[in-house]
Each structure stands twice: as structure tokens, then as C-alpha cells.
Amino acid sequence: QVQLVESGGGLVQAGGSLRLSCVASGSIFSIYAMGWFRQAPGKEREFVAAITWNGGNTNYADSVAGRFTISRDNAKNTMYLQMNSLKPEDTALYYCARYSSGSYYSPLFGSWGQGTQVTVSS
């Protein structure tokens, strides 16, 4: 089983930046594609970004493309989400997740983390 721990959220003004981290343990992190998802109050959980096992390819939701950057450091078993030019609409609980293979074309596999709260004020 993979345990995922998200951190780095907080309160920031519109236009500001945050960097989220996701540390994975309990499995071989480096062989899996990873992704970020978010859920705002009263909304369904939605896809934010994903990255292949070696970081060679990335994918972004249209709403964050150009503002967010996903990356990973397999030596540290850690995935990151650099969030720039934040908007109030980005306010949500952010989760990391694991895919079932090295490609994000594969289904999600395993448990969600506990999430980290991002709040963007106007």
C-alpha cells in the first residue's frame, strides 16, 4: 500500500504563489505516474495535473495550464505542484494520487492522501 502525505497549502492573496508537496511511502514511488486533484466546497473532485513515472510528460487541466507546474523528484519520493498567479477559483482541498502504471493513461490506483487546503483571497 502507498501512503500519500500532502503539504504546502495555506492562505494566499490572488496573484500569489504556493508550492505543494506530496510525499509517498509504502511502495516504489518511481515506477508510477502521479497526479494532483482538487475539491472545492460543494463541488466534485476534479483533475488538476499529472506526470509520468520519469517526469518525461505532463498533463494539465485547461483551468490551470500556464499557471501551474507539476514536477517530481524520485530520489526523494516526492511530487510537487508549483502554483502561480493564483485565483480565488483555485480555492480547494488539494490531493495527490497514484496511477496504476508509469503512464497517466492508466487508471488511478490506491488511496488518496489527506489533502492540503489552499485558500486564495480576493
Side-chain angles (χ1 to χ4, degrees):
Q1 293 169 287
V2 177
Q3 187 164 10
L4 305 172
V5 180
E6 301 94 338
S7 63
L11 175 64
V12 65
Q13 291 186 339
S17 297
L18 287 171
R19 189 171 82 147
L20 307 184
S21 298
C22 170
V23 179
S25 62
S27 190
I28 304 173
F29 175 81
S30 61
I31 70 172
Y32 299 113
M34 299 290 293
W36 287 98
F37 293 76
R38 67 188 183 186
Q39 187 169 22
K43 304 287 187 179
E44 201 61 49
R45 189 172 299 182
E46 66 175 349
F47 169 78
V48 176
I51 187 167
T52 53
W53 71 275
N54 61 354
N57 293 97
T58 57
N59 189 34
Y60 298 93
D62 290 343
S63 59
V64 307
R67 299 187 297 118
F68 291 9
T69 302
I70 189 171
S71 62
R72 67 192 297 163
D73 185 343
N74 286 347
K76 293 181 167 61
N77 292 157
T78 303
M79 176 178 64
Y80 305 96
L81 186 68
Q82 179 66 47
M83 309 164 67
N84 297 327
S85 302
L86 282 163
K87 305 174 181 179
E89 308 91 85
D90 296 318
T91 295
L93 190 63
Y94 283 71
Y95 299 90
C96 62
R98 180 173 69 88
Y99 290 84
S100 59
S101 78
S103 170
Y104 45 68
Y105 294 121
S106 66
L108 290 171
F109 188 78
S111 300
W112 298 101
Q114 82 286 350
T116 185
Q117 179 67 41
V118 172
T119 303
V120 184
S121 63
S122 300

